[in-house]
């Protein structure tokens, strides 16, 4: 287990002044803590009835402390400087907001590296986990409960940097484009429902082939989930992730909690309050729109 350093007394949210290289894990076609369909308007706050959700009274690994598990591979925009403790970045800020909603102040939060592959007979050394896009397979699902989603993955438009299509302001501008999609993906469904292109989109088995086709000039535009688009375009010169847009079924991220911990109803309630108060929307805007400089289409 890797224990991150103790948190500072106060961690203000702020907008990053620069965009740094982003390392992402490919996700779009994998079952995960972000798998499922729907958008934020279809997610309702879960009302807790017979479950004790007194602030700061969860049955935690360490008494009076909320231990949050995450992965060391996540960097910006999830954790600024790759460090969740500073509370900057989408998941770093969300961790402290969620902890506050559960009754734990910053000084009562510890971050650790989550070991999802530990011996199934041993209880995990964290209370909840924020893993972003890390895939969660069936074996992990047998050991962990998932909360309602805190983030619904948008789709993104990838085009040649500086091209007219990279600056598209509406789906109508993409109708005549040579469009590429990954077979069976949310991007493929979005192409048919939102763009209704003149010609049938070219289908690819993997995102890498589609991105190479855009780079070579044999394709104009590709549609991918935002995290995968950022990762893929970062490795191909001359490509830009120019726009993002909401589309149901693109995947979702949820909080993980060990089976039998009884904390998920409380986590669901906290997520519901953060959504109702507009906190989730603000974190999304600050870290997943502004900091990666991918404006929303429309």
């Amino acid at each position: 287990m890797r224990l991150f350093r103790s948190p500072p007394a106060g961690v203000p949210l702020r907008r990053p002044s620069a965009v740094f290289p982003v390392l992402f894990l490919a996700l779009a076609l994998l079952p995960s803590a972000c798998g499922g369909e729907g958008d934020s308007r279809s997610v309702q706050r879960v009302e807790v009835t017979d479950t004790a959700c007194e602030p700061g009274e969860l049955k935690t690994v360490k008494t009076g402390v909320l231990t949050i598990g995450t992965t060391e591979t996540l960097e910006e925009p999830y954790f600024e400087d790759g460090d969740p403790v500073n509370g900057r970045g989408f998941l770093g800020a969300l961790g402290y907001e969620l902890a506050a909603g559960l009754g734990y102040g910053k000084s009562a939060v510890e971050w650790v590296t989550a070991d999802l592959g530990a011996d199934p007979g041993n209880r995990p050394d964290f209370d909840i986990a924020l893993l972003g896009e890390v895939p969660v397979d069936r074996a992990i699902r047998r050991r962990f409960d998932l909360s309602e989603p805190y983030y619904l993955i948008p789709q993104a438009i990838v085009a040649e940097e500086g091209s007219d299509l990279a600056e598209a302001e509406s789906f109508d501008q993409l109708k005549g484009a040579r469009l590429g999609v990954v077979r069976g993906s949310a991007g493929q469904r979005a192409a048919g429902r939102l763009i209704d292109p003149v010609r049938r989109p070219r289908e690819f088995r993997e995102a890498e082939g589609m991105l190479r086709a855009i780079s070579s000039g044999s394709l104009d535009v590709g549609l991918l989930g935002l995290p995968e688009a950022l990762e893929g375009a970062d490795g191909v010169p001359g490509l830009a992730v120019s726009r993002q847009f909401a589309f149901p079924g693109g995947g979702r991220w949820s909080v993980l909690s060990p089976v039998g911990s009884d904390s998920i109803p409380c986590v669901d309630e906290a997520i519901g309050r953060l959504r109702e108060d507009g906190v989730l929307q603000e974190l999304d805007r600050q870290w997943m729109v502004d900091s990666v400089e991918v404006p929303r289409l429309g």
Side-chain angles (χ1 to χ4, degrees):
M1 175 190 77
R2 177 171 177 254
L3 178 65
F4 294 89
R5 68 178 182 272
S6 299
V11 184
L13 292 176
R14 66 176 179 84
R15 182 181 305 178
S17 58
V19 178
F20 298 86
V22 184
L23 298 179
F24 291 89
L25 301 173
L27 167 70
L29 302 179
L30 292 173
S32 69
C34 40
E37 297 196 2
D39 60 25
S40 59
R41 290 170 294 182
S42 67
V43 178
Q44 302 298 321
R45 175 178 172 180
V46 175
E47 295 296 338
V48 180
T49 55
D50 297 327
T51 303
C53 290
E54 293 297 326
E57 296 297 326
L58 291 179
K59 294 181 180 178
T60 54
V61 173
K62 295 182 179 180
T63 302
V65 174
L66 183 70
T67 303
I68 304 178
T70 187
T71 172
E72 294 182 70
T73 61
L74 293 178
E75 297 189 1
E76 296 183 21
Y78 306 141
F79 298 123
E80 193 170 279
D81 300 325
D83 180 14
V85 178
N86 61 32
R88 296 190 293 272
F90 180 62
L91 294 181
L94 174 63
Y96 286 119
E97 293 284 0
L98 188 57
L102 294 170
Y104 297 86
K106 292 183 177 69
S107 61
V109 174
E110 287 188 359
W111 295 84
V112 301
T113 301
D115 183 6
L116 300 184
D119 184 346
N122 296 332
R123 190 185 190 282
D125 53 9
F126 56 85
D127 302 304
I128 61 174
L130 294 174
L131 303 178
E133 54 191 7
V134 174
V136 176
D137 58 24
R138 292 181 181 177
I140 292 175
R141 285 176 179 268
R142 285 195 293 267
R143 299 181 57 213
F144 297 92
D145 292 326
L146 273 61
S147 73
E148 67 168 286
Y150 57 81
Y151 180 63
L152 296 163
I153 298 175
Q155 295 300 296
I157 295 171
V158 183
E160 183 181 1
E161 191 172 10
S163 67
D164 291 340
L165 291 176
E167 303 300 322
E169 296 293 340
S170 71
F171 292 117
D172 284 343
Q173 292 175 258
L174 303 177
K175 284 184 178 295
R178 295 173 298 171
L179 191 65
V181 296
V182 175
R183 188 178 299 121
S185 68
Q188 183 177 32
R189 297 190 295 274
R193 296 179 192 177
L194 300 180
I195 299 175
D196 190 21
V198 173
R199 69 193 83 183
R200 181 175 178 177
R202 182 176 169 188
E203 297 180 12
F204 294 82
R205 293 182 60 186
E206 298 178 350
E208 183 179 357
M210 183 179 70
L211 296 175
R212 286 200 303 265
I214 300 173
S215 179
S216 69
S218 63
L219 202 66
D220 297 322
V221 171
L223 300 183
L224 282 174
L226 179 63
E228 189 176 16
L230 289 167
E231 179 198 26
D234 186 57
V236 181
L239 296 188
V241 181
S242 59
R243 296 289 187 271
Q244 59 175 292
F245 58 92
F247 184 76
R252 62 186 188 179
W253 296 351
S254 297
V255 176
L256 269 69
S257 182
V259 169
S261 67
D262 297 327
S263 62
I264 286 297
C266 301
V267 171
D268 282 347
E269 188 176 64
I271 290 173
R273 286 196 299 268
L274 292 177
R275 180 172 290 110
E276 289 176 1
D277 293 343
V279 175
L280 289 184
Q281 295 88 331
E282 172 59 21
L283 293 179
D284 178 14
R285 182 204 61 77
Q286 182 176 7
W287 299 106
M288 303 303 286
V289 178
D290 291 353
S291 75
V292 298
E293 297 184 344
V294 181
R296 291 195 172 98
L297 184 64

